[in-house]
Amino acid sequence: MKKVSAWALAALVAATALPASAQFAKSEDAIKYRQGALAVLGQHFGRLGAMANGKIPFDAKAAQENAEVVAFMAKLPWAGFGAGTEGGKAKPEIWKEQAKFQDLSEKMQAETVKLAAAAKSGNLDQLKAAFGPAAASCKACHDSFRSR
Ligand code: ASC
C-alpha cells in the first residue's frame, strides 16, 4: 500500500505541479526562449506596422504571411515564463500577478488572431483597423510587466 500511494503521489505531482519551466533545462534557457519568440514576433509585427502606417507599400501577400507568423508566435512566449524563471526584462510582478499576466497574454493572442484575419482579407483598411488594437495589446503587457 505504501508503494502504491507513493506512485499515486508521484503521478499527481507530475500531472498537476509540473511547471511550464520544466521543459527548459535552465531558467536562462526559458529566458532566451521567450526573448527569442518575442523578438521574432516583434520583427513580423513591425513589418505589418510599417504597412499599416504607410511607411512601406502595402503588399497583401506579405501582410498575410507576416500576420500568420505573428499569430503563431504569439502563442509561444508564455511557456517561457514558468515558475522560477524570473529575470531578463521581465518584472517580478509577472509572478505575483499571474491572473493579470495571463489575461493580458490571452488578449494579445486574441488580437493577433483578428489581425491575421484582417490581413487575410487583403484589405489595407481592415489591416489598419486591426493593427492598432493589436499594438495596444502588446503595449498593455509591456507597460505592466516589462522593465526596460
Ligand atoms: C512593435 C513591437 C512591440 C509593439 C509595441 C506596441 O512593433 O516590437 O513591442 O509594437 O511597441 O506598442
Side-chain angles (χ1 to χ4, degrees):
M1 273 310 277
K2 209 173 176 197
K3 261 186 186 162
V4 170
S5 51
W7 280 110
L9 182 63
L12 185 70
V13 168
T16 62
L18 256 190
S21 58
Q23 63 191 285
F24 301 103
K26 299 175 292 185
S27 72
E28 299 91 83
D29 292 343
I31 294 171
K32 267 190 255 172
Y33 177 89
R34 69 200 189 209
Q35 289 185 347
L38 287 162
V40 172
L41 175 54
Q43 284 295 312
H44 290 274
F45 192 68
R47 291 172 201 168
L48 289 167
M51 285 188 223
N53 295 316
K55 290 188 181 129
I56 61 172
F58 176 57
D59 174 335
K61 184 168 177 282
Q64 183 177 344
E65 287 169 356
N66 280 305
E68 281 168 4
V69 174
V70 165
F72 183 79
M73 294 308 296
K75 301 177 191 181
L76 301 186
W78 322 112
F81 289 94
T85 66
E86 286 86 344
K89 301 182 195 177
K91 283 192 184 170
E93 280 76 5
I94 288 173
W95 291 271
K96 292 175 196 144
E97 300 169 28
Q98 285 275 292
K100 181 179 172 187
F101 183 66
Q102 191 176 336
D103 182 52
L104 291 176
S105 78
E106 283 168 6
K107 282 188 178 138
M108 185 276 253
Q109 290 174 76
E111 293 301 340
T112 65
V113 170
K114 290 183 204 164
L115 184 64
K120 197 170 181 211
S121 77
N123 180 304
L124 178 58
D125 288 331
Q126 286 199 40
L127 179 68
K128 285 180 180 171
F131 184 80
S137 73
C138 302
K139 187 174 186 297
C141 199
H142 292 161
D143 286 350
S144 293
F145 294 120
R146 186 176 67 174
S147 63
R148 54 194 153 89

